[in-house]
Amino acid sequence: GVWNSAGTALSANLTGLSTFASYTFEVRARDAGGNIGPSSSGTFRTADVTPPSSPGIPVFSNIGETTVNISWAASTDNSAAISAYQTRLNGGQWNSGSTSLSVLVSGLTPYRNYTVDVRARDAAGNYGLPSSNSFMTIDKTAPSAASVLTISNIGASTATVGWVAATDNVGVTSYEYRLNGTGSWYSAGGSISTNLTGLSFYSYYTIEVRARDASGNVGFSISTSFRTLDGTPPSMPGVPV
């Protein structure tokens, strides 16, 4: 390029340079007679202070109970050198990252919401703004069976059924029951007992109870049998003779 005068100073401030670019700087001396000496030179690179762009919005696939695959579109950078993509969950610690555009995350909790942030880091250590998206892990685990069915307050057309609560990896949301192994299941809500009405006098019944969780997984049912009372008195005898 063109030689520029630095006067008699032993230094020069350079401006208008490009970011993260290599330059060769030459300096030479001129005397009062206009004689020019040989030049000395050195090479340097300007700093990169421009962060990468945000990656593409995270996309989720193969969502399981404890795992998920996360992928995203590449960032761009003025230096064209993305050194790593980092991810974090629910605002926690950023992982160490890699240059891959996807990551398999494990150790998650079933049936839980997660927010994923992804950011890019360039070779100069600049971090771009993150991109974010959310997903929920699934729950495939059914509740355990309820236990110890008890029948109380048996009447001619009524009875009370109770049971010991079932357990679930996330949480039981309701119980269901049916009579004599046929027909629809009826909800008992979150209660561990239910009152049966409209039963027939002096009749045998088998009742089944099962638990359901928030994902719709249904546990095995347990059952027991009982008989209602006979609430009908005999007819009046004939008139004594």
Side-chain angles (χ1 to χ4, degrees), residues 48-58 72-88 94-101 117-132:
D48 177 11
V49 295
T50 303
S53 67
S54 298
I57 300 297
W72 54 88
S75 299
T76 57
D77 187 64
N78 62 316
S79 68
I82 301 297
S83 63
Y85 293 96
Q86 295 179 302
T87 60
R88 67 178 180 180
W94 292 97
N95 68 359
S96 58
S98 72
T99 56
S100 175
L101 295 178
D117 300 319
V118 182
R119 70 179 182 182
R121 183 181 68 226
D122 66 17
N126 299 302
Y127 291 95
L129 294 175
S131 297
S132 302

Side-chain angles (χ1 to χ4, degrees), residues 129-154:
L129 294 175
S131 297
S132 302
N133 201 1
S134 298
F135 71 97
M136 175 179 280
T137 50
I138 64 175
D139 175 20
K140 294 180 179 179
T141 303
S144 69
S147 59
V148 193
L149 276 178
T150 59
I151 310 296
S152 60
N153 302 323
I154 299 175

Side-chain angles (χ1 to χ4, degrees), residues 34-86:
N35 300 301
I36 298 173
S39 64
S40 298
S41 65
T43 300
F44 66 94
R45 180 185 288 274
T46 53
D48 177 11
V49 295
T50 303
S53 67
S54 298
I57 300 297
V59 176
F60 310 110
S61 59
N62 300 323
I63 299 174
E65 289 189 289
T66 60
T67 59
V68 64
N69 188 269
I70 308 169
S71 59
W72 54 88
S75 299
T76 57
D77 187 64
N78 62 316
S79 68
I82 301 297
S83 63
Y85 293 96
Q86 295 179 302

